[in-house]
Amino acid sequence: MTSSMTAFARTQIQEDWGSLVWEIRSVNHRYLEPHFRLPEAVREVEPALREALRKHLHRGKVECSLKLQLAEGQQQLSVNESALEALQSVVNKVETYFINASGVNPLEVLQWPGIMDNKEANMAPVHAAAIKAFEEALLQLSDSRRREGAELEKFIRLRLEGVTGEVESVRSILPDLLESQRQKIMDRLKEAKAELDPDRLEQELVILAQKMDVDEELDRLSTHVSEVKHTLGKKGAIGRRLDFLMQELNREANTLSSKSINAGLTQSAVNLKVLVEQMREQVQNIE
């Protein structure tokens, strides 16, 4: 099923140890680019979170934010007395060299690495809940991306029918258009009272036919339309493939425009370009 890369999901868990809230936002990106904002208390589960994310998503810039509120008593602060004594010994030694040195600020001492011991309670339930809630948020996000992707697919299929209609329209007018251009050449020669050189006339008609030979472009347009439809039915990430096909469709529309010798053919080429550009803009959001 076609998936969009733009979505939002939010999950929340409330337990005896406290509460946590996950918020995940994703937007279009060429590759999968996850960003995590985690409290230090759950930092160690980030590898598991990244692995879970890769199982659900293939492309997109994904911002994952976790807000954690621990209940009172879950975390206790204490002083590492041995580290504090070692620091005091160093301070005393320094003071022997700097007699006039100002006193030590206790708050600054507490900020010294290793002085504070963060004796945490058992965080295993918190870690497990964080992973579970994250997976639930990912499921919500994936569902949202698929719903939006389904709408994008409808939009693209409708434009593909428009492309097919333009191709059929051009095919239907080509025989009459060629005959009309042939008659114009004949009329101009008659008006100029020029002798009709059969070889010269044949040469002009061959040049005209070559210039108007757009069968190959029309065939490729039809082939690309079929391939886009086939790609839309595939599983997994299809956005890059669709983007490539949009480029090919646009290339054929440009070639058709360059070969145009008639206002109707030119208008069809313009219509094709508009349809392809509309699809290309939506394809940028498909995973």
Side-chain angles (χ1 to χ4, degrees):
M1 183 180 293
T2 303
S3 292
S4 169
M5 286 188 284
T6 304
F8 172 81
R10 185 178 189 274
T11 57
Q12 182 174 358
I13 286 183
Q14 181 74 45
E15 296 289 350
D16 293 339
W17 45 259
S19 64
L20 60 81
V21 178
W22 273 110
E23 289 187 352
I24 307 179
R25 293 176 174 83
S26 69
V27 295
N28 60 317
H29 194 274
R30 187 172 183 181
Y31 305 103
L32 179 60
E33 186 178 303
H35 297 272
F36 284 87
R37 287 184 290 179
L38 304 174
E40 285 300 323
V42 295
R43 180 67 65 181
E44 65 184 76
V45 302
E46 183 173 343
L49 298 174
R50 290 183 177 273
E51 181 64 25
L53 186 144
R54 284 193 292 268
K55 291 179 180 179
H56 288 81
L57 309 179
H58 299 92
R59 294 179 65 205
K61 183 176 181 181
V62 188
E63 294 185 356
C64 310
S65 176
L66 174 62
K67 296 179 181 178
L68 175 64
Q69 183 65 49
L70 295 176
E72 187 176 350
Q74 279 296 115
Q75 189 174 35
Q76 299 176 352
L77 300 180
S78 63
V79 176
N80 186 334
E81 294 187 7
S82 60
L84 184 60
E85 291 175 358
L87 181 61
Q88 179 62 51
S89 176
V90 173
V91 171
N92 291 339
K93 188 171 183 179
V94 170
E95 287 181 342
T96 62
Y97 290 92
F98 300 94
I99 304 300
N100 296 324
S102 58
V104 177
N105 187 325
L107 292 179
E108 292 179 353
V109 170
L110 293 176
Q111 295 175 11
W112 188 268
I115 295 299
M116 292 298 298
D117 273 343
N118 296 334
K119 295 182 179 179
E120 298 178 349
N122 181 17
M123 295 298 291
V126 179
H127 293 169
I131 295 174
K132 179 183 177 182
F134 183 68
E135 291 177 341
E136 292 175 355
L138 283 175
L139 289 175
Q140 289 184 20
L141 190 79
S142 297
D143 288 342
S144 178
R145 284 163 62 118
R146 281 192 291 269
R147 286 194 299 271
E148 184 171 338
E151 295 302 316
L152 294 177
E153 182 176 341
K154 291 179 184 178
F155 180 94
I156 293 172
R157 287 187 181 276
L158 183 62
R159 267 59 184 180
L160 289 175
E161 294 305 316
V163 171
T164 299
E166 292 296 337
V167 169
E168 293 174 351
S169 175
V170 172
R171 287 191 191 279
S172 67
I173 66 173
L174 277 180
D176 292 340
L177 188 57
L178 183 58
E179 179 58 29
S180 175
Q181 293 300 317
R182 179 182 180 281
Q183 190 59 48
K184 285 182 180 180
I185 293 176
M186 297 287 291
D187 293 343
R188 283 198 297 268
L189 290 173
K190 289 180 180 179
E191 290 175 1
K193 296 181 179 180
E195 183 178 350
L196 295 178
D197 182 350
D199 292 337
R200 177 62 177 172
L201 178 60
E202 184 66 23
Q203 185 180 14
E204 289 291 336
L205 292 177
V206 168
I207 293 174
L208 175 63
Q210 290 176 343
K211 184 174 182 180
M212 292 185 58
D213 183 14
V214 294
D215 282 340
E216 187 175 349
E217 285 75 16
L218 296 178
D219 287 343
R220 283 199 291 261
L221 281 168
S222 296
T223 299
H224 294 329
V225 167
S226 297
E227 183 59 26
V228 171
K229 291 180 179 179
H230 176 69
T231 302
L232 287 171
K234 289 184 175 181
K235 295 182 179 180
I238 60 174
R240 293 186 197 174
R241 176 66 177 170
L242 290 176
D243 187 56
F244 168 76
L245 291 170
M246 292 303 114
Q247 295 178 35
E248 293 302 303
L249 283 167
N250 190 61
R251 190 196 314 277
E252 301 307 329
N254 285 332
T255 304
L256 190 66
S257 178
S258 67
K259 290 186 175 183
S260 175
I261 58 172
N262 172 272
L265 192 58
T266 299
Q267 185 59 52
S268 290
V270 171
N271 292 343
L272 285 170
K273 290 181 181 180
V274 171
L275 290 168
V276 173
E277 179 60 23
Q278 289 175 342
M279 288 189 291
R280 191 194 66 80
E281 291 179 356
Q282 300 305 318
V283 163
Q284 301 304 309
N285 290 320
I286 293 179
E287 185 178 42

